[in-house]
Amino acid sequence: MIDMNKASFLILVFVITFFNAFGQKPQNSQIFISGIIIDSETKEPLEYATIVLNDTKNNQLSGGITDSKGSFNIKMNPGTYDISFEFISFKTIKLTKKVVNQSINFGTIELFENTNTLDEVVVIAEKSTVEIRLDKRIYNVGKDMTVRGGSASDVLDNVPSVDVDVEGNVSLRGNENVRILIDGKPSALVGLSGTDALRQLPADAIERVEVITSPSARYDAEGTAGILNIILRKGIATGLNGSMNATIGDPTQYRVASNINFRTKKVNFFTNLGYRDSSGPGNFLTNLSTFQNESLNSLRIEDRDFERNRNGYNINVGLEYFLSKQSSVTGTYFYRDSNNKNLSTNTIRVFDANDILEFTDTRIQDEDEIDKTSQISLNYTNNINNSGHKLTIDVQYSDSQETENAFIDDSLAIENNTTTEDSKNTLIQTDYVLPIGENTQFELGYRGDFQDLNSNFLVTRTPELDFDPSNNLVFKQNVNAIYSQYGSKINKLTYLIGLRTEITDVKVRLTNTNENFDYKYTEFFPTINFGIERTENQSFTLGYSRRLRRPRYWYLNPFESRNSQNVIYKGNPGLIPTFTNSFDLGFLQKIGKLTLNSSIYFQHSINSIQRVTRDEIRLLDGVNQVITIREPINLASEDRYGFELTANYNPSKKVRLSGSFNVYQQESKGLYEYNKFTIDDTTGAIVSTPEIQDLGNINNSWFSRFNATFTLPWKIQMQNRLSYRGPRFTAQSESKGMFSANIALSKDVFNEKGTFVFNVSDLFNSRKWRSTNFNPNKENPTSINYQESQWRVRQVSLNFTYRFNQKKNQGRERRGGEDYEGGEGFSRP
């Protein structure tokens, strides 16, 4: 992992060297020191290694850096110096009070990787795309060509352990209940819908993603699978620097983005800007077969073609003011404005039991969606001393608004529906870290997260339905949390023990039906993390945490989707939280150029939330029709066992290989109570009878990902990514496996100031979701619903990035409040 203080100091060396060269009178007695710095293991030269010269007489700093061959040649005055040879993630060599009266050639200097620090153990060098630590994996976005010009969803889909399905739903180790944070905090950048907002956030605005599977008490208890922490770019280089990039693609894709930073001794201004205009086809197929007395009764085929247009821009601008060398205040403002258009053409065919066509229709839905989100954040950081004594305070307010207008036309009816949603969120957070001696620290903090949301759904239809699908939902959720944790390091053992208390107050109001659902509960969430570093190349971790899953408002909102009259999705206002006890045992081994990181994990959940399917019979346009309804419910329990392995192998400077594999078993237990609908053979009336269904099920599944990066002739780089998600099963459904492949080529130009990237996403156009639902069960279904969906077809794009006043692989300093919830010391053993 990059030592950001050293990266910052490298910039300081540039400035000092510049002023030494031009701001002082020439001296004829100047001499030189020279040499070559290499990696002790690979024997490869270390470019941009730092040589720091501290004149012990006047305490004046100077120095230089190595070139692409690892060589340095620095002009200096005779004297006595403290000399340091440094490189990111390597152990520093120091020469104290070295008398230099004549030019010296130090010859070849070998630096060793630094894998033994109190607060983190980094085992993969900076040049790797994925850095592995004992309790988390860090994915560096800027080094992955396959996401250039893409979105945050593309970034997450490239992260080990993380999977993004065709609809944009994010899962961690096969579990969709993952908490997504921006810079360590809940954020409006994730948006109301989550999936759409992540598709709009440009990949170029993201610096790295932290995958945290065993969070400490400092983190939210939300997210039974764990936490994905997206860190946005924020430069540290002195002066004006940044990058700009543009992307064109087919199907139609136009993106431009910029990252600009200006820093002086007192202020640091940074901004990320992005604009997107894209459109692409998609498709969704539904085959709904109904049965009566175990014989086929009817077949309804709905074949929907989508044409989506996404147009919008986002601005993220911030100013950091350094009150002193130890403290700073940072203000950040984010704004997103998007105008999306969706045109869906649904071709409907209905066949009878003898496969004779009974009915055809075309249902056209023309939808406009306007999203506007603004967020303002204020951070105060005080690094009280250099030993880790620290206080941070954060205040954040956001306002997100979405308006959807849909016009639906078919041969039987004309429908208009409008959805308006407005969510206001306030966040207050403070964290205090107190070191106790050299190897121990205590930490405590508070977080208040308050959300007020109003969702209004209005439907007008001619002719009118027998029921009114319109509704209005008012959702308020207040979460107050306090935490404390204590950690220490004893020889090779590091431990961190914490307790978090969260007081949750939820109010749900359905104003159309005058229904109220209120929940208030106080829960305790202990966390325990141990790390043992047996050698520099081998370590073990053991973690336990109690976590929860609060139902989001879209899971509670009972309004019915209107894309199809016969296949409906809706929420359940009666959902209660899921509570999970999670255990994780990790092992890390480095063997030469190969790094292996594996873990065995177990999660036990009660009141687990799962989507289920049931059938209703409704009178639609004068005809009794079978309606398939999909909604979430609470099951009794769920146990998840899994094994995960990631590997990184860098056989040479021109070849880098990495892969991940995850296999798990998921066992669910629970009963589903619902009303079964039938038609009386004598009267023709719709009859409803109570039913109880056992949804107990065991699902075995796996997914894998492989990345390979090669340097070709003419310094062209090629990256290939292959991924496969295995089939999945529930008591009511079967989903088929899915394979996808990406390939990218890149070439640096203009002395590495510019980079062209040619990218093909979903090379074989195979990224399709295919699933079969059996209602009420697989053994004796009354309906079988096969669905196939492709959110977007194969994408070909060309991206160009231009950097000014910064190096291609320039890192950034993690000072002050930038690392937010990365933790100090013991939250990263």
Side-chain angles (χ1 to χ4, degrees):
M1 183 62 207
I2 297 174
D3 187 331
M4 294 305 170
N5 289 318
K6 295 176 183 176
S8 178
F9 187 73
L10 189 151
I11 304 303
L12 179 62
V13 170
F14 275 120
V15 177
I16 294 173
T17 304
F18 178 84
F19 283 106
N20 282 342
F22 296 98
Q24 296 180 350
K25 294 180 180 181
Q27 299 185 33
N28 297 326
S29 60
Q30 285 186 329
I31 56 179
F32 294 85
I33 62 170
S34 58
I36 298 175
I37 300 178
I38 66 172
D39 185 331
S40 64
E41 182 178 339
T42 66
K43 308 304 180 184
E44 295 180 351
L46 296 177
E47 185 180 6
Y48 303 124
T50 308
I51 301 90
V52 181
L53 307 175
N54 183 12
D55 192 328
T56 59
K57 181 178 180 180
N58 54 28
N59 203 29
Q60 184 177 6
L61 291 176
S62 62
I65 61 172
T66 58
D67 59 19
S68 60
K69 298 179 181 180
S71 300
F72 64 91
N73 189 25
I74 303 171
K75 182 186 296 186
M76 59 188 297
N77 297 319
T80 302
Y81 292 85
D82 290 334
I83 304 176
S84 298
F85 304 98
E86 305 178 357
F87 188 68
I88 297 165
S89 297
F90 284 73
K91 293 180 179 178
T92 298
I93 293 179
K94 294 183 179 181
L95 304 177
T96 59
K97 296 182 179 180
K98 176 71 173 177
V99 178
V100 183
N101 292 325
Q102 60 183 357
S103 296
I104 299 177
N105 187 335
F106 286 96
T108 300
I109 301 170
E110 296 186 359
L111 296 185
F112 293 81
E113 266 191 273
N114 183 10
T115 60
N116 186 19
T117 59
L118 172 63
D119 63 334
E120 60 185 52
V121 178
V122 181
V123 296
I124 296 298
E126 182 269 348
K127 56 192 176 186
S128 299
T129 298
V130 180
E131 299 170 11
I132 302 173
R133 297 186 183 174
L134 290 179
D135 67 335
K136 69 173 72 173
R137 285 179 295 277
I138 300 176
Y139 172 79
N140 295 306
V141 177
K143 300 166 190 174
D144 194 323
M145 296 178 290
T146 61
V147 301
R148 289 286 180 88
S151 66
S153 289
D154 298 317
V155 172
L156 293 179
D157 194 36
N158 236 8
V159 174
S161 307
V162 180
D163 180 57
V164 181
D165 66 20
V166 294
E167 295 181 341
N169 299 308
V170 180
S171 61
L172 178 60
R173 290 175 168 175
N175 188 342
E176 289 188 0
N177 184 226
V178 55
R179 180 67 155 167
I180 299 178
L181 305 175
I182 304 292
D183 286 333
K185 302 187 294 293
S187 174
L189 276 71
V190 178
L192 289 175
S193 59
T195 56
D196 286 339
L198 290 174
R199 288 190 178 110
Q200 294 176 35
L201 182 64
D204 305 281
I206 301 173
E207 179 175 297
R208 68 184 190 274
V209 177
E210 299 178 346
V211 181
I212 308 169
T213 54
S214 184
S216 69
R218 177 185 249 213
Y219 291 94
D220 277 348
E222 178 77 32
T224 57
I227 293 172
L228 297 177
N229 188 19
I230 298 175
I231 305 297
L232 301 182
R233 294 188 182 276
K234 182 179 178 183
I236 56 91
T238 302
L240 179 65
N241 63 89
S243 66
M244 304 184 70
N245 71 81
T247 303
I248 59 173
D250 180 56
T252 304
Q253 181 185 26
Y254 302 101
R255 284 180 181 266
V256 292
S258 67
N259 301 289
I260 300 174
N261 185 80
F262 178 74
R263 179 167 178 153
T264 68
K265 291 183 178 181
K266 295 296 293 182
V267 297
N268 182 26
F269 172 81
F270 54 94
T271 180
N272 303 309
L273 309 175
Y275 172 78
R276 172 194 184 193
D277 186 1
S278 64
S279 62
N283 53 77
F284 194 103
L285 173 68
T286 297
N287 289 347
L288 177 61
S289 303
T290 62
F291 298 86
Q292 188 171 4
N293 298 323
E294 299 184 357
S295 298
L296 181 67
N297 185 49
S298 68
L299 170 63
R300 182 184 181 92
I301 300 176
E302 296 191 7
D303 192 355
R304 277 184 280 169
D305 291 322
F306 299 97
E307 185 63 37
R308 301 182 180 89
N309 178 264
R310 299 289 184 264
N311 185 293
Y313 64 91
N314 59 270
I315 301 171
N316 188 46
V317 59
L319 181 67
E320 183 176 17
Y321 180 75
F322 302 104
L323 301 172
S324 66
K325 291 183 179 181
Q326 288 78 31
S327 62
S328 66
V329 175
T330 303
T332 307
Y333 176 73
F334 171 81
Y335 181 77
R336 177 176 55 227
D337 191 328
S338 60
N339 188 351
N340 304 324
K341 297 181 181 297
N342 301 315
L343 180 62
S344 168
T345 303
N346 188 358
T347 302
I348 303 170
R349 291 172 294 164
V350 179
F351 298 85
D352 65 11
N354 298 314
D355 201 27
I356 297 175
L357 182 64
E358 285 188 327
F359 174 76
T360 62
D361 197 6
T362 300
R363 182 180 174 93
I364 298 176
Q365 178 169 324
D366 190 358
E367 180 182 277
D368 292 335
E369 178 183 339
I370 298 176
D371 300 339
K372 293 184 178 181
T373 297
S374 61
Q375 175 179 285
I376 185 169
S377 306
L378 187 65
N379 166 265
Y380 169 75
T381 298
N382 189 345
N383 295 292
I384 300 171
N385 58 37
N386 294 328
S387 63
H389 195 187
K390 183 179 179 180
L391 172 68
T392 61
I393 301 174
D394 289 279
V395 179
Q396 179 176 287
Y397 175 79
S398 63
D399 187 355
S400 299
Q401 299 176 0
E402 291 186 6
T403 302
E404 296 182 13
N405 292 296
F407 175 77
I408 302 174
D409 185 15
D410 58 32
S411 62
L412 300 177
I414 295 176
E415 178 179 316
N416 285 279
N417 60 64
T418 300
T419 304
T420 57
E421 294 178 344
D422 186 1
S423 177
K424 294 179 172 57
N425 298 69
T426 303
L427 176 74
I428 302 173
Q429 176 178 325
T430 182
D431 302 287
Y432 176 71
V433 180
L434 175 65
I436 304 174
E438 184 178 353
N439 294 329
T440 304
Q441 79 178 22
F442 172 76
E443 182 176 351
L444 59 86
Y446 162 82
R447 171 180 286 182
D449 196 350
F450 315 103
Q451 180 181 17
D452 289 331
L453 180 141
N454 189 296
S455 177
N456 189 39
F457 183 59
L458 178 63
V459 178
T460 58
R461 187 177 186 271
T462 304
E464 293 183 354
L465 293 169
D466 294 335
F467 67 100
D468 185 6
S470 301
N471 84 312
N472 177 253
L473 176 141
V474 177
F475 174 82
K476 293 186 177 183
Q477 178 174 277
N478 296 331
V479 180
N480 289 278
I482 56 174
Y483 79 92
S484 177
Q485 58 186 19
Y486 176 86
S488 185
K489 183 173 184 180
I490 305 173
N491 296 323
K492 295 183 178 182
L493 171 67
T494 300
Y495 66 89
L496 178 65
I497 301 174
L499 178 65
R500 187 179 186 91
T501 303
E502 295 193 351
I503 305 171
T504 305
D505 187 3
V506 179
K507 292 181 171 58
V508 180
R509 301 287 184 263
L510 302 177
T511 59
N512 290 42
T513 57
N514 292 320
E515 294 179 87
N516 298 330
F517 299 86
D518 294 348
Y519 307 95
K520 188 171 184 178
Y521 49 92
T522 300
E523 294 289 339
F524 299 94
F525 302 93
T527 61
I528 303 174
N529 286 283
F530 292 97
I532 299 177
E533 186 185 359
R534 293 190 65 249
T535 67
E536 289 187 352
N537 296 324
Q538 187 182 85
S539 60
F540 296 86
T541 58
L542 176 63
Y544 162 77
S545 62
R546 183 175 188 255
R547 305 188 62 76
L548 87 161
R549 177 185 188 180
R550 298 183 183 91
R552 301 298 179 88
Y553 83 94
W554 56 80
Y555 266 76
L556 298 172
N557 199 339
F559 86 86
E560 299 182 351
S561 61
R562 301 297 298 161
N563 292 328
S564 168
Q565 285 198 115
N566 293 73
V567 181
I568 292 172
Y569 298 85
K570 61 182 296 187
N572 177 6
L575 289 177
I576 59 177
T578 300
F579 293 93
T580 299
N581 289 293
S582 179
F583 302 84
D584 192 293
L585 175 63
F587 172 69
L588 185 146
Q589 178 71 59
K590 184 177 180 183
I591 308 171
K593 299 177 181 180
L594 173 66
T595 300
L596 300 174
N597 186 32
S598 62
S599 63
I600 299 173
Y601 57 91
F602 169 70
Q603 298 168 344
H604 173 70
S605 302
I606 59 173
N607 305 325
S608 62
I609 298 174
Q610 179 176 306
R611 285 191 175 273
V612 297
T613 307
R614 60 183 174 87
D615 287 340
E616 283 189 9
I617 298 177
R618 294 182 182 177
L619 183 65
L620 295 176
D621 302 313
V623 180
N624 287 328
Q625 298 186 36
V626 175
I627 307 299
T628 296
I629 297 178
R630 191 162 174 80
E631 61 185 349
I633 66 167
N634 288 110
L635 293 181
S637 66
E638 178 184 283
D639 289 331
R640 183 184 293 263
Y641 313 80
F643 170 76
E644 182 175 50
L645 173 67
T646 62
N648 290 264
Y649 180 56
N650 301 326
S652 71
K653 191 175 182 180
K654 295 184 177 181
V655 179
R656 287 180 291 162
L657 307 174
S658 66
S660 62
F661 175 77
N662 189 299
V663 60
Y664 64 91
Q665 181 180 91
Q666 178 182 350
E667 182 177 356
S668 302
K669 297 179 181 179
L671 301 177
Y672 178 33
E673 299 182 11
Y674 66 100
N675 289 323
K676 182 179 180 180
F677 291 80
T678 57
I679 298 178
D680 189 281
D681 294 334
T682 304
T683 64
I686 300 175
V687 180
S688 173
T689 56
E691 289 283 333
I692 298 178
Q693 181 182 345
D694 185 0
L695 293 182
N697 178 70
I698 296 178
N699 169 45
N700 295 293
S701 189
W702 61 281
F703 60 88
S704 183
R705 182 179 289 115
F706 175 75
N707 285 276
T709 302
F710 306 94
T711 300
L712 305 177
W714 302 290
K715 294 185 178 181
I716 296 175
Q717 282 197 316
M718 179 177 70
Q719 181 178 348
N720 303 313
R721 180 173 76 91
L722 307 176
S723 65
Y724 180 78
R725 187 178 74 173
R728 304 181 182 186
F729 306 91
T730 71
Q732 292 185 312
S733 67
E734 298 177 355
S735 298
K736 294 184 178 181
M738 183 170 61
F739 169 80
S740 66
N742 294 357
I743 184 171
L745 297 170
S746 77
K747 170 64 178 176
D748 291 332
V749 295
F750 307 136
N751 196 26
E752 291 195 349
K753 291 183 178 180
T755 303
F756 281 100
V757 177
F758 176 75
N759 192 0
V760 181
S761 178
D762 194 11
L763 179 64
F764 302 106
N765 205 35
S766 58
R767 192 172 172 81
K768 299 179 180 180
W769 171 74
R770 292 168 295 177
S771 177
T772 303
N773 290 294
F774 303 86
N775 301 327
N777 52 54
K778 299 177 183 178
E779 291 74 23
N780 187 26
T782 58
S783 72
I784 298 177
N785 185 11
Y786 172 78
Q787 294 182 322
E788 182 175 307
S789 174
Q790 186 175 25
W791 177 263
R792 67 179 183 185
V793 298
R794 176 175 46 239
Q795 180 83 45
V796 180
S797 64
L798 179 64
N799 172 270
F800 176 70
T801 300
Y802 183 79
R803 294 168 288 275
F804 55 94
N805 298 333
Q806 67 175 212
K807 297 294 183 180
K808 178 183 177 183
N809 293 320
Q810 178 173 297
R812 74 171 179 86
E813 175 189 13
R814 288 180 204 161
R815 68 175 304 281
E818 289 185 32
D819 216 5
Y820 297 102
E821 296 216 23
E824 293 297 322
F826 302 97
S827 62
R828 296 196 305 255

